[in-house]
């Protein structure tokens, strides 16, 4: 029998050297390439943050203008990709449509030679540029509407809003969406990033890498939690129910969505920024009851679970912000993917720089040297 120590969930096991981002989970610190995420969320834009993650340094003015031009130029998707989206069931989850469309992109664009830096960069641009178009197109198609063409005169966040609603966002709403994209763009060795790195380590094409990461993000323990938070708040209904609901969840060992994190043992710094953003949105749109419920829940759970280091994570307030902007619940996780693609691609490029295929060990607990009984002799 093997003597290897098993670490369930690979807890505390390093799987790569990475210079993309850094978390100090005790001090609520998250940095992208050394810069605090709070600073980026207020000072930067998603395009600049993506460049920083991908290249390692902030762009010069010219570099950012060129990068932005390339992204704007590649927003359109092939009509056959639109046909593919039209052929999918309108009741299907948009994350599945996104995963299928991104996997299919690997058939439209030559990207198999991952030793070709120019081709890899073209894939990076296409993926970041086209994900919002795919998400918005599927959303329109499932409601029986034609997709809205991307507009080159709008930035990444503004154009996404335009393609969803055929309406330009106000500057305040545009800023909120942009900040949400920045906050979700990268987060060290999380499950979807690891999944992308594992797929990348086989030298698979980048569309396959990103579709693997998207698939991993769908689960309720990962990116899918933002939708479940709103279901949970819907179930609780009133502030008066919060304490009893939390007691029941703790007694029955129910997972409380939007709480807990493998690395953070204090409140996730992204949740803090999202809460501030939520309050900006509510100053215009009005304060929804779900926000008051969430704040009360955070207070009650701080008393009950705070000492165990179970605190709000990024998914706790993000859905409340998106809902206040009129975004349907099942688009919350696709928006996470539209942002995180920048981080996934940064890790993919990093993985390729010093690649070795991931091939871990297992602790075998099955039978050995078992006898094969021919079928005719079995009952
Ligand atoms: C994201 O990793 C990343 O970076 C992910 C992410 C990113 O940006 O990429 O930050 C995005 O995925 C945020 C997480 C979204 N998921 C949820 O909100 C779902 C609810 N939370 C969890 O199930 C859980 O906290 C995880 C999945 C986030 C972390 O899981 P771990 O590290 O494996 O922790 P665990 O499940 O083993 O919990 C340890 C203890 C257990 O108690 P004991 O058995 O030790 O007594 O803490 C308890 C758990 O029961 N616990 C919770 C809880 N989270 C942990 N109890 C109730 N509710 C919770 N949410």
């Amino acid at each position: 029998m093997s003597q290897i120590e098993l670490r369930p969930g690979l807890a505390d096991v390093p799987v790569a050297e990475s210079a993309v981002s850094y978390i100090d989970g005790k001090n609520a610190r998250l940095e992208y390439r050394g810069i605090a995420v709070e600073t980026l969320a207020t000072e930067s834009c998603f395009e600049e943050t993506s460049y920083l993650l991908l290249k390692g340094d902030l762009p010069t003015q010219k570099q950012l203008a060129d990068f932005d031009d390339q992204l704007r130029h590649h927003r359109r998707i092939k009509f056959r990709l639109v046909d593919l989206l039209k052929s999918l069931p309108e009741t299907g989850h948009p994350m599945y449509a996104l995963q299928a469309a991104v996997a299919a992109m690997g058939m439209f664009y030559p990207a198999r030679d991952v030793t070709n830096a120019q081709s890899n960069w073209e894939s990076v641009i296409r993926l970041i540029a086209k994900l919002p178009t795919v998400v918005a197109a599927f959303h329109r198609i499932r409601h029986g509407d034609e997709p809205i063409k991307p507009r080159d005169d709008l930035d990444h966040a503004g154009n996404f809003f335009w393609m969803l609603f055929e309406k330009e966002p106000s500057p305040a709403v545009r800023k909120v969406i942009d900040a949400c994209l920045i906050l979700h763009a990268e987060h060290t060795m999380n499950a979807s990033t690891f999944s992308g790195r594992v797929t990348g380590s086989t030298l698979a094409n980048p569309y396959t890498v990103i579709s693997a990461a998207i698939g991993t993000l769908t689960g309720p323990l990962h990116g899918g939690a933002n939708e479940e938070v709103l279901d949970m708040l819907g179930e609780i209904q009133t502030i008066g129910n919060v304490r009893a609901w939390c007691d029941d969840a703790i007694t029955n060992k129910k997972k409380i969505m939007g709480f807990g994190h493998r690395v953070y043992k204090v409140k996730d710094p992204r949740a803090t920024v999202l809460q501030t953003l939520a309050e900006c949105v509510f100053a215009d749109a009005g304060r929804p009851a779900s926000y008051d419920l969430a704040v009360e829940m955070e207070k009650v759970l701080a008393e009950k679970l705070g000492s165990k280091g179970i605190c709000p994570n990024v998914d706790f307030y993000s859905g409340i912000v998106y809902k206040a902007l009129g975004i349907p619940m099942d688009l919350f996780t696709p928006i996470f993917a539209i942002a995180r693609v920048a981080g996934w691609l940064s890790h993919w490029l990093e993985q390729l720089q010093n690649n070795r295929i991931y091939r871990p060990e297992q602790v075998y607990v099955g039978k050995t040297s078992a006898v094969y009984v021919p079928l005719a002799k079995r009952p």
Side-chain angles (χ1 to χ4, degrees):
M1 278 297 152
S2 169
Q3 294 302 309
I4 311 163
E5 186 203 359
L6 178 66
R7 306 291 289 268
L10 294 180
D12 302 323
V13 178
V15 293
E17 282 190 346
S18 181
V20 183
S21 64
Y22 166 77
I23 300 173
D24 176 346
K26 290 198 190 90
N27 293 304
R29 182 100 184 142
L30 168 61
E31 296 175 353
Y32 297 170
R33 301 283 187 185
I35 301 179
V37 76
E38 294 89 341
T39 309
L40 292 167
T42 47
E43 304 287 324
S44 183
C45 60
F46 177 71
E47 293 85 332
E48 181 184 61
T49 297
S50 299
Y51 187 100
L52 169 72
L53 289 168
L54 290 159
K55 296 280 195 181
D57 289 304
L58 287 169
T60 63
Q61 293 181 21
K62 172 156 183 355
Q63 284 168 335
L64 180 58
D66 288 348
F67 181 62
D68 189 23
D69 269 1
Q70 288 176 11
L71 290 177
R72 287 174 198 241
H73 185 73
H74 284 279
R75 283 177 182 163
R76 276 153 200 76
I77 54 175
K78 305 255 189 207
F79 77 88
R80 289 178 125 190
L81 207 58
V82 175
D83 287 350
L84 182 137
L85 293 172
K86 285 183 177 167
S87 71
L88 297 173
E90 63 270 17
T91 49
H93 198 286
M95 278 299 274
Y96 304 148
L98 181 64
Q99 187 183 19
V102 169
M105 273 186 217
M107 300 177 78
F108 289 99
Y109 302 107
R112 286 193 68 167
D113 179 7
V114 295
T115 62
N116 182 329
Q118 180 57 29
S119 153
N120 287 352
W121 184 249
E122 284 164 11
S123 302
V124 163
I125 295 288
R126 283 200 186 98
L127 278 158
I128 298 176
K130 292 185 198 301
L131 254 61
T133 316
V134 171
V135 171
F138 181 70
H139 178 61
R140 300 282 303 178
I141 290 165
R142 68 180 171 160
H143 287 106
D145 298 321
E146 276 302 312
I148 296 166
K149 294 207 168 11
R151 270 181 48 188
D152 292 351
D153 60 321
L154 296 175
D155 72 354
H156 203 73
N159 174 58
F160 175 57
F161 193 90
W162 167 259
M163 292 188 297
L164 275 184
F165 302 120
E166 207 166 10
K167 188 170 88 179
E168 282 184 39
S170 69
V173 167
R174 192 214 62 77
K175 177 63 207 157
V176 168
I177 298 173
D178 192 42
C180 289
L181 294 178
I182 293 170
L183 292 172
H184 286 85
E186 161 60 11
H187 209 235
T188 74
M189 201 54 69
N190 58 87
S192 54
T193 298
F194 182 48
S195 166
R197 283 189 84 129
V198 170
T199 308
S201 81
T202 70
L203 305 185
N205 85 63
Y207 302 97
T208 304
V209 168
I210 298 306
S211 82
I214 292 170
T216 307
L217 189 68
T218 58
L221 292 186
H222 193 12
N226 52 16
E227 256 186 74
E228 309 244 344
V229 168
L230 286 199
D231 286 339
M232 180 180 74
L233 296 174
E235 194 185 310
I236 299 174
Q237 287 185 354
T238 65
I239 295 229
N241 292 340
V242 167
R243 194 164 283 274
W245 190 95
C246 292
D247 284 339
D248 178 68
I250 293 166
T251 310
N252 293 303
K253 293 197 174 297
K254 267 200 248 165
K255 285 276 189 253
I256 302 168
M257 290 294 143
F259 274 77
H261 200 275
R262 178 67 62 78
V263 187
Y264 295 117
K265 298 302 157 207
V266 293
K267 185 171 175 178
D268 183 330
R270 300 167 298 175
T272 306
V273 180
L274 279 163
Q275 203 174 352
T276 312
L277 290 173
E279 282 171 5
C280 292
V281 173
F282 305 152
D284 285 346
R287 200 178 161 99
S290 57
Y291 181 67
D292 293 331
L293 273 185
V295 171
E296 177 67 11
M297 219 176 147
E298 182 180 343
K299 205 170 85 194
V300 169
L301 288 173
E303 285 167 30
K304 297 179 183 291
L305 296 176
S307 59
K308 287 179 81 181
I310 300 169
C311 304
N313 62 49
V314 68
D315 286 324
F316 193 57
Y317 287 108
S318 63
I320 299 173
V321 174
Y322 297 143
K323 190 163 181 228
L325 297 181
I327 294 172
M329 261 169 68
D330 62 2
L331 294 188
F332 298 171
T333 317
I335 295 175
F336 193 151
I338 286 172
R340 185 57 59 86
V341 70
W344 291 330
L345 289 165
S346 305
H347 280 270
W348 170 62
L349 293 175
E350 189 177 64
Q351 178 69 33
L352 291 179
Q353 276 168 21
N354 194 11
N355 188 54
R356 188 171 188 204
I357 190 169
Y358 277 101
R359 205 308 177 190
E361 214 10 298
Q362 62 173 9
V363 176
Y364 182 64
V365 295
K367 296 175 186 171
T368 54
S369 307
V371 176
Y372 176 79
V373 180
L375 183 59
K377 295 198 172 162
R378 278 178 257 152

